[in-house]
Amino acid sequence: MLASEREQLKAEINKMAKKFDYHRSGLIPVLQYVQNISRHISPESMQDIAEAFKIHPVEVQGVVSFYSFLSIERKGKFVVRLCRTISCDMAGKEAVANQLENELGIEFGETTDDGMFTLEFTNCLGMCDMGPAMLVNDDIHTRVTPEKVADIIDSYRNRFGAHVTHGEHA
Amino acid sequence: MPNKDKSTKFGSDRAPASSVVASVEVAKNEKDLGAMVAVSIDGNEIKVPFGTTILDAAKKLNIKIPTLCHHEDLKVAGVCRVCVVEVEGQRTLQAACAYPITSPMTIKTYSSKVRKARRHNLDLMLKHHVGECYSCFRNNNCELQSLAKEYGVDFYRFGHDTEPHHEIDRSSYSVVRDMNKCIQCRRCVRTCIDLQEVGVLEAVNRGPDLDIATFADMPLGEVVCINCGQCINRCPTGALRANDPSDEIWAAIEDPSKHVVIQTAPSPRAAIGECFGLPAGTSVTRELNTAMRRCGFDKVFDTNFTADLTIMEEATELLIRLKKALVDKEQVAFPQFTSCSPGWVKYLEHFYPEYIDCLSSCKSPQQMFGSIIKTWYAETAGIHPKDIVTVALMPCSAKKFECNRPEMQDSGYKDVDYGLTSRELAQMIQEAGLDLPNLPHSDFDDPIGEATGAGLIFGATGGVMEAALRTAVEIVTGVKTEKIFENLDIIPVRGFEGVKYMEIKVPAAGPVPPILSKALGGLKDFSFLKGATLKVAVAHGTANAKKIMEDIKAGGKFSECHFIEFMACPGGCLGGGGQPIPTSPEIREARTRAIYAEEKTLYSRKSHENPTIDRIYKEFLNDGPCGHKSHKLLHTHYIKRGNKIV
């Protein structure tokens, strides 16, 4: 990250923290914001956030590492989260998982080299009657079949070309 | 914290969920309606104040409930589930340490359900507790080990890992972290974040992946750790320990070409007996001297001598600052902070680097001692300083870091070679086959064994301040301090209150004693201070230090202080991170009593009356306190470290 970008992000963090009256209950919204903007929460950002809330950086890290939707490592522009809980599993999640790995050329837990897609498993999405279910950023896809995988992935690839600056998402 | 008042329910203070949600305020007045609740524990009836935990209620009935994550100094966590008990009407077992009694209830502490659950919880902890008892420094003093014995663990129900899953972190000069032995009770986390407010350790990740980690998983030597070692004193197992130099020290002792000198700080002598089964607060000064000689140390000296020297230097520094501000009208940094506690020094360097000029430039007594040994003592004893090994017996783990600071080499050699904690010396004494409590008495060696009571009370919180005041008041007013403070006891700076504050009116002005005339630029008397009010404060534990620092930042009453004593550890050095384990408020109080009692027996209780101090300023540091030579050997500088580590 460029120094100027970091300064900008820091200013934004402080602005948000102020909105929450610097109370630590504002920590999660700020973390979600930073995650959205820079696709991860870097140790530098954690320090800035800790400073804004007057808590310790390691406490921020404790929160970040606790939640699956917050991450220290940089995620792809699109995070594909496939449900691995029992109903989706029985509805054929394995085949979808294989197809996803095939399509993106990565394994679960990895990010594509171009930084576009991250592949992850998730626990129940509450779509048990419409499995296998899959979440791409905030979009839910249900009754996913291996045949549909390519179309879904392509629709994201096409909608957001390489020219799209990060921070924008579906 | 900025808005504490607005947030009483959840509090901006960090608190584990259990202590926020489940804790209720304990009733203060027993006579109020509903203030007392009747409970029955194992068939014994008792009335306790509303909000008392089951654990505390059981204690009143002398019923023992085992605990592991609970610690008297720390907030409630309720994570280890060893203290579970059966509460009638509750479906599940409840953690006694975290369950407040708010209505009459019947509790069973030893049903078979309870026993089974406790045993299971222990078995689960033992599964991931890698390391064996023989090779552990906590062998026989380990809370997990004694619980395993108490609950008759005879096999590992859930298995027992033998392959270490973590690398041992030896990056810090002071603290060694072996996370293989960690049982995730979070005592260190609560010590670091709540008790000390340093914030190095925290639980990261979730569920089976949970770890106690530093920020960005950096080694302990590279984070904002102040080396206070309070986490070591509170760890129930051997996951945290001090960096033990005893092998190197044994080697030096056995090397005939080395002259090994040990200096002993005031606090270990009041505590080390605990390692030999003596009750807390038993002073073993003179037995300890014999023990160290029998271990093979060539000379046994008293750090209290350099504590006296520190007082001379630090009081002079304060007078110079006052003179500069009031007579010369120069800009000087006030208040002056003490610099004896290396934990506090590093805390300031990390968290308040902008106040570094306030820190007294005096080295701590340990380091002054080192440079005096390798210069004056080497000269008078006719030993080459390269052949001298100085060992410092300290109640402190941060002293290990301090003696390794690169700037601490003013004698031309490493001033202090090894910092040794009370625990490690106890181990050495045991290795030598000595029975400390029953050894004959002996005195310190000359010439650096002569010390006053002022040096001795450095060990307790408020001690440095009291010692400094005894000397400064006498110098400034020209009146004997006893005439101003009865029995030389300056009570307002003593005791365990977190932050202490005191004002002293200067009633008279005495002449500048000849020893200080050079340092004070030929000033004739202290009339510039007559009628002035000297404001001083004392804080112990870095959480309390933080309170004062925030107040100074905000321009509050402490910013008008002239002199503030800070100690990194709760209770001062007596509660240091190198002292015998366990620690509790009662133990620290007993040690303090021992120090103040011993102090009364000494021939003098004012630093400037120490004849060897007189001698050293005549023979060696002959340009007086804060003179050129003492600046070279006894003063130091600090580093603005800041708290940004990535």
Side-chain angles (χ1 to χ4, degrees):
Chain A
M1 193 186 284
L2 292 170
S4 59
E5 277 178 73
R6 186 179 169 187
E7 283 308 308
Q8 215 179 336
L9 188 58
K10 191 176 171 182
E12 202 57 47
I13 289 168
N14 280 322
K15 219 166 96 191
M16 280 190 83
K18 194 174 172 211
K19 212 167 81 189
F20 291 101
D21 216 3
Y22 302 105
H23 190 276
R24 49 195 299 155
S25 61
L27 183 59
I28 294 273
V30 170
L31 289 174
Q32 285 172 325
Y33 173 80
V34 175
Q35 176 79 36
N36 257 346
I37 289 290
S38 54
R39 290 193 250 148
H40 72 144
I41 300 161
S42 64
E44 287 85 354
S45 305
M46 285 192 232
Q47 276 186 171
D48 293 341
I49 295 167
E51 200 179 3
F53 285 104
K54 295 205 170 152
I55 54 179
H56 304 291
V58 72
E59 288 180 275
V60 179
Q61 190 189 343
V63 175
V64 171
S65 62
F66 185 90
Y67 290 104
S68 323
F69 277 60
L70 302 174
S71 61
I72 298 172
E73 274 108 58
R74 196 174 168 86
K75 291 276 167 78
K77 199 167 289 176
F78 301 105
V79 184
V80 181
R81 295 184 170 95
L82 181 65
C83 178
R84 64 172 162 203
T85 309
I86 189 159
S87 354
C88 289
D89 191 56
M90 292 177 72
K93 146 230 136 188
E94 203 55 51
V96 177
N98 286 340
Q99 189 54 37
L100 278 168
E101 286 185 337
N102 243 343
E103 183 69 29
L104 295 171
I106 51 172
E107 285 179 20
F108 274 80
E110 293 178 350
T111 302
T112 52
D113 288 342
D114 59 0
M116 288 291 274
F117 292 95
T118 297
L119 211 45
E120 278 178 4
F121 282 120
T122 175
N123 293 320
C124 188
L125 294 168
M127 292 288 172
C128 312
D129 56 332
M130 292 187 273
M134 183 171 94
L135 204 57
V136 182
N137 286 356
D138 291 338
D139 302 341
I140 187 88
H141 298 269
T142 52
R143 300 209 168 92
V144 183
T145 55
E147 292 77 38
K148 283 191 193 165
V149 163
D151 284 349
I152 294 173
I153 295 295
D154 269 353
S155 74
Y156 287 99
R157 255 197 207 119
N158 295 339
R159 245 195 294 168
F160 293 89
H163 63 281
V164 178
T165 55
H166 64 248
E168 294 178 38
H169 58 91
Chain B
M1 302 281 169
N3 50 353
K4 214 170 192 170
D5 41 338
K6 277 188 202 165
S7 50
T8 42
K9 178 124 194 257
F10 296 106
S12 47
D13 285 342
R14 176 193 176 280
S18 53
S19 76
V20 178
V21 179
S23 78
V24 265
E25 214 165 292
V26 176
K28 286 198 182 74
N29 192 350
E30 293 187 2
K31 291 195 176 116
D32 287 351
L33 194 65
M36 301 297 276
V37 187
V39 284
S40 153
I41 306 179
D42 301 335
N44 303 290
E45 307 282 333
I46 191 176
K47 280 192 158 187
V48 293
F50 181 92
T52 309
T53 61
I54 295 177
L55 183 67
D56 288 339
K59 255 183 213 156
K60 286 187 183 169
L61 284 169
N62 264 336
I63 293 173
K64 196 190 150 209
I65 298 176
T67 54
L68 194 57
C69 71
H70 178 81
H71 195 283
E72 275 177 83
D73 292 327
L74 305 175
K75 285 188 177 173
V76 170
V79 292
C80 74
R81 315 311 283 185
V82 162
C83 67
V84 286
V85 293
E86 224 177 308
V87 177
E88 209 176 88
Q90 296 271 349
R91 188 178 54 88
T92 52
L93 297 176
Q94 300 296 328
C97 70
Y99 196 100
I101 298 170
T102 55
S103 59
M105 56 176 66
T106 307
I107 297 154
K108 270 196 245 162
T109 69
Y110 57 80
S111 65
S112 77
K113 193 176 167 190
V114 166
R115 266 202 318 272
K116 222 179 252 172
R118 286 180 187 163
R119 173 72 196 274
H120 270 175
N121 288 337
L122 278 173
D123 284 335
L124 283 167
M125 279 182 244
L126 289 169
K127 160 104 171 81
H128 295 294
H129 179 75
V130 182
E132 56 165 325
C133 295
Y134 298 122
S135 58
C136 181
F137 93 107
R138 292 293 293 274
N139 192 4
N140 257 339
N141 184 19
C142 168
E143 292 175 45
L144 184 65
Q145 193 186 39
S146 40
L147 276 174
K149 180 168 183 291
E150 232 168 82
Y151 280 82
V153 173
D154 47 4
F155 73 107
Y156 299 116
R157 191 185 312 258
F158 304 112
H160 181 62
D161 295 352
T162 46
E163 281 302 306
H165 22 74
H166 293 276
E167 216 170 292
I168 299 177
D169 180 359
R170 299 178 194 274
S171 61
S172 162
Y173 282 117
S174 299
V175 184
V176 178
R177 262 178 94 228
D178 181 359
M179 284 298 102
N180 297 308
K181 291 177 182 167
C182 177
I183 52 162
Q184 301 172 344
C185 68
R186 293 169 180 71
R187 275 197 196 167
C188 55
V189 171
R190 283 173 284 152
T191 304
C192 203
I193 294 184
D194 301 331
L195 185 74
Q196 292 290 70
E197 295 203 20
V198 178
V200 167
L201 299 171
E202 174 63 295
V204 302
N205 299 325
R206 186 176 30 147
D209 300 327
L210 188 130
D211 262 325
I212 308 299
T214 55
F215 183 53
D217 236 342
M218 306 250 269
L220 209 52
E222 290 170 29
V223 294
V224 294
C225 176
I226 62 166
N227 304 313
C228 66
Q230 289 300 306
C231 52
I232 302 176
N233 286 11
R234 286 170 184 79
C235 180
T237 71
L240 292 157
R241 65 190 143 101
N243 208 344
D244 186 357
S246 50
D247 286 341
E248 285 96 320
I249 294 172
W250 281 125
I253 286 174
E254 276 149 29
D255 184 343
S257 68
K258 296 284 181 205
H259 183 75
V260 188
V261 170
I262 188 163
Q263 52 161 318
T264 63
S267 299
R269 61 190 73 165
I272 199 167
E274 291 162 37
C275 295
F276 296 86
L278 294 175
T282 316
S283 196
V284 289
T285 315
R286 300 175 74 211
E287 293 90 332
L288 189 60
N289 288 343
T290 311
M292 289 184 288
R293 276 196 195 97
R294 291 204 186 163
C295 280
F297 290 103
D298 295 304
K299 289 284 176 192
V300 177
F301 290 139
D302 196 347
T303 311
N304 296 357
F305 165 74
T306 37
D308 284 337
L309 197 60
T310 305
I311 289 300
M312 294 304 291
E313 294 288 329
E314 212 157 330
T316 309
E317 190 185 345
L318 180 66
L319 292 173
I320 292 174
R321 284 192 198 212
L322 286 168
K323 181 202 164 231
K324 273 190 186 158
L326 297 172
V327 180
D328 310 338
K329 308 282 178 211
E330 280 176 39
Q331 272 292 337
V332 203
F334 265 111
Q336 177 176 311
F337 301 153
T338 60
S339 58
C340 308
S341 166
W344 151 248
V345 168
K346 195 157 182 260
Y347 182 81
L348 188 87
E349 287 176 332
H350 276 306
F351 296 98
Y352 298 96
E354 65 272 28
Y355 288 96
I356 224 159
D357 292 335
C358 294
L359 209 51
S360 162
S361 65
C362 296
K363 287 182 184 172
S364 68
Q366 165 180 290
Q367 292 307 126
M368 283 198 184
F369 195 99
S371 32
I372 292 290
I373 285 289
K374 293 205 175 173
T375 51
W376 187 50
Y377 172 75
E379 221 174 275
T380 46
I383 305 167
H384 196 283
K386 79 169 171 21
D387 295 326
I388 299 179
V389 175
T390 43
V391 179
L393 169 62
M394 291 287 149
C396 183
S397 54
K399 290 283 178 195
K400 295 172 190 287
F401 169 81
E402 188 187 27
C403 74
N404 282 301
R405 287 176 81 117
E407 63 270 26
M408 295 296 184
Q409 308 203 4
D410 291 325
S411 61
Y413 301 86
K414 192 177 168 193
D415 290 340
V416 173
D417 292 279
Y418 304 107
L420 189 69
T421 64
S422 313
R423 291 189 298 267
E424 289 151 6
L425 183 70
Q427 181 60 49
M428 287 178 74
I429 293 173
Q430 274 161 2
E431 271 178 66
L434 301 169
D435 177 22
L436 180 76
N438 298 316
L439 287 179
H441 293 190
S442 64
D443 285 320
F444 290 102
D445 284 309
D446 282 336
I448 317 182
E450 199 152 32
T452 68
L456 183 65
I457 57 172
F458 261 57
T461 161
V464 179
M465 183 56 72
E466 184 165 350
L469 286 178
R470 284 178 189 172
T471 292
V473 164
E474 194 160 313
I475 290 178
V476 169
T477 60
V479 183
K480 287 273 178 207
T481 312
E482 302 81 309
K483 297 237 165 76
I484 298 170
F485 296 104
E486 206 180 326
N487 287 333
L488 268 181
D489 293 338
I490 306 177
I491 303 295
V493 297
R494 294 189 184 177
F496 284 99
E497 210 180 311
V499 173
K500 289 163 274 184
Y501 177 79
M502 185 189 180
E503 291 183 4
I504 306 152
K505 258 215 144 40
V506 181
V512 172
I515 190 171
L516 293 183
S517 65
K518 203 167 165 193
L520 292 175
L523 209 64
K524 290 265 163 342
D525 58 31
F526 287 105
S527 53
F528 72 99
L529 284 174
K530 194 174 173 190
T533 307
L534 187 67
K535 295 173 183 168
V536 299
V538 176
H540 61 112
T542 41
N544 293 316
K546 187 176 173 181
K547 279 182 201 145
I548 289 195
M549 292 310 296
E550 290 297 326
D551 183 85
I552 290 176
K553 248 185 166 172
K557 93 173 171 185
F558 292 108
S559 63
E560 287 164 19
C561 277
H562 300 101
F563 192 33
I564 306 182
E565 177 204 303
F566 289 102
M567 289 291 156
C569 294
C573 306
L574 288 157
Q579 292 282 63
I581 302 170
T583 183
S584 72
E586 292 79 51
I587 292 176
R588 294 195 290 273
E589 225 174 290
R591 291 173 186 163
T592 310
R593 275 198 303 275
I595 288 251
Y596 282 115
E598 187 171 342
E599 195 237 342
K600 296 258 186 216
T601 66
L602 290 176
Y603 70 97
S604 167
R605 297 166 62 202
K606 285 178 281 188
S607 297
H608 57 282
E609 289 179 355
N610 184 338
T612 317
I613 291 286
D614 223 32
R615 197 179 134 205
I616 198 169
Y617 279 119
K618 276 196 187 108
E619 284 179 17
F620 185 62
L621 305 164
N622 36 26
D623 39 7
C626 293
H628 178 70
K629 206 160 182 183
S630 85
H631 253 289
K632 183 175 175 297
L633 289 175
L634 308 181
H635 290 251
T636 183
H637 57 273
Y638 306 101
I639 305 156
K640 289 187 178 175
R641 292 176 202 269
N643 60 358
K644 296 278 187 292
I645 52 173
V646 289

